[in-house]
Amino acid sequence: MNNRFGFRDLVFSFLFVVLIILLGLTLHQQNRHWQQQVEAETRLRDDIANLDRRFEQLLDELYEDVEPEQAAEPDDASPQQPPAADEQDEPEQAAHRDAPLHPGEELVLGEGEAAEEARDQPQRRLRRPNLGPRPEARFGEGHAFHRRVQVQQEGDYAAGDWVVDVLHSPIGKLTPIVPSDAYQSRIEPYVIETLVQRSPETLDWEPLVAHSWETSDDGLEIRFQLRDDVHFSDGEPLTSEDVAWTFEWIMNDRINAPQLRSYYNRIDSVEADGPHEVTFTLDEPYFRAMDFAGGMPILAKHWYGQFSPDEFNQLPGLLFGSGPYRLQGDPRTWRPGAGSIVLERNERYWGPRPPFDRLVWRIVMSPAARAADYRQGRIDIFQPEPEEHGQHKRNPRMRERGPIFEFFSPTAGYRYIGWNQRRDGEDTRFADPRVRRAMTKLTNRELICDRIMHGLAKPTSGPFNIQSPQYNDSIDPWPHDVERARELLREAGFKDRSGDGVIQDEEGTPFRFRLTYPSRNPNYQEMALYLRDSYMRAGIVLEPDPTEWTTMLQRIDERNFDAITLGWTASLESDPYQIFHSSQIPDGGHNFINYRNEELDEVIEKGRTEMDEDKRMSYWHEVHRILHEDQPYTFLFNQISVRYVDGRFENVRHLKLDLTPRLEWYVPYQHQRY
């Protein structure tokens, strides 16, 4: 068989070569076009940046103060008067204006002889438009916005980019007021505002929606004066009616907010006195009255009023307000499980323009995945588990990403083990304080802080932050003492009656219980395994019970657990009422371990109504002592905070309260990622 290369083969080969050449030329042309497009886009971005800077310069020029000899500064308390007859412009002068002219605001445009002639004839000078006060004049020193305004004057300040944070578990509800978790409380303040807020620098109260306030001498009345320029994200004005309606909504028994009502039950009424004044009246003094009056989230009556109480309780995404950001999409249709939560800039915001286009929280449950996401730039903020921090801190790639902060916050809460004292209508073994003290003595808190928390925690003996004056320094945590724990258990009737190493009560029931804790969290898992081994030394069987967060919340509400380990956040001065007062056992209150102590109830009530700080601290020290003796919780530790932050963000510092608030960060234009 002959294998010949004929004319037809030659033609096909030639055409194939031509096709390859044409394809290569096309790819080259596309690559060149793409490079030109990138260059054009870069030039466009530079032009936009230059225009933005020029626009800011023009604004600065327009906002320049009027010289004293041209016009006197008007009295803030008096309305601006119309120009006198001899100051008004002639018709031909007005024809050259692009905006109405106001007295005393003059601007000469152009250069050359015409401009010189205009300077020689003041009566013919064009006046610049009255743009009102400079932005910083609206929010001066002492206002919650004054730091934001100062940051926006930085030479490299630019609005834009995103902040991408991370949540360690899914969030089930964004709707305010109704029970949720700490993650919801992180997101809500960006959307819903309050009358006042704490300064992160001084910890004093600063004006926000309210521009001023006054408290009566007896502490029973707080009157707020509201700004008249605040509006919700749909443009509707925020008035005192919204504040009064919010209080009525919280106190409505059909709203699922029993924990919140336990604080607001001291407020007798909230009355709107005109559109911009509201008065809170208390039935008796309360040391945290300002926290809950000034810090009450203001709900829009016209928006939230469209829902029945049942709809409000059930719909998970009803997040709407006057804040600098708004929930992406329709809050009425938001459902959990999307993998991330996105807030977008509220373009109608009444305050300084928010710095970022979006605030994003991604849900990443795996610690290893969170670390990889931060290392690869998919998230901007990283809070490592204690066991990971040392390794990550030594990793050059992690250090190159940005600064690492370690600090002890005055609002750092505490971790605990809560012993459920009543279940299914009957007392449990943990109803006996001797048993609870024994469990605490079997728990080596020093070892937990050193080995499990890797030095990022400090043992505590009570419910208050160890840096707070509420903390009773005279009380030391119960020492780790296995022998004394065994003695207490024998006194309570527990001994090894069968010889199998497990102690039983007098009826022969083995001391066996389940410890509930968040699943997919290696730190809690490691602690549960340590506690299992520690308790076994006294003949107690601990069965680890890792539980998904939404299921855990349901079981807490139903009091359906033996023991649970979690953490509480704190405030600058905490109120123990909600967690330990016996009135907070029913109706979904936060005393979910069914703890009752009449002496403690009385001391808490006295402390809440004592307005003298020194006397009030003596009551809190007594609360600390009673809880230390009774051990309804095994108080474990206060945790040291750790934050890794992407280095492209500017103005990230540690202040008294925490890091600089996120709305005071920014990213220079050339470093923006999104």
Side-chain angles (χ1 to χ4, degrees), residues 127-186:
R127 298 187 177 107
R128 65 179 170 89
N130 181 8
L131 300 181
R134 294 178 66 91
E136 57 266 34
R138 294 177 60 209
F139 312 112
E141 189 71 27
H143 192 277
F145 291 157
H146 79 274
R147 290 179 305 277
R148 297 190 210 173
V149 173
Q150 289 175 348
V151 168
Q152 291 178 6
Q153 309 308 310
E154 294 292 332
D156 61 349
Y157 177 84
D161 212 343
W162 300 1
V163 180
V164 183
D165 204 343
V166 66
L167 302 179
H168 295 190
S169 61
I171 185 169
K173 193 178 284 287
L174 293 175
T175 301
I177 295 176
V178 295
S180 185
D181 53 41
Y183 290 150
Q184 190 275 348
S185 65
R186 292 186 194 176

Side-chain angles (χ1 to χ4, degrees), residues 192-210:
I192 300 178
E193 294 182 304
T194 56
L195 293 168
V196 298
Q197 70 178 32
R198 291 277 189 185
S199 165
E201 293 179 315
T202 67
L203 308 184
D204 295 330
W205 291 110
E206 294 180 324
L208 188 58
V209 171

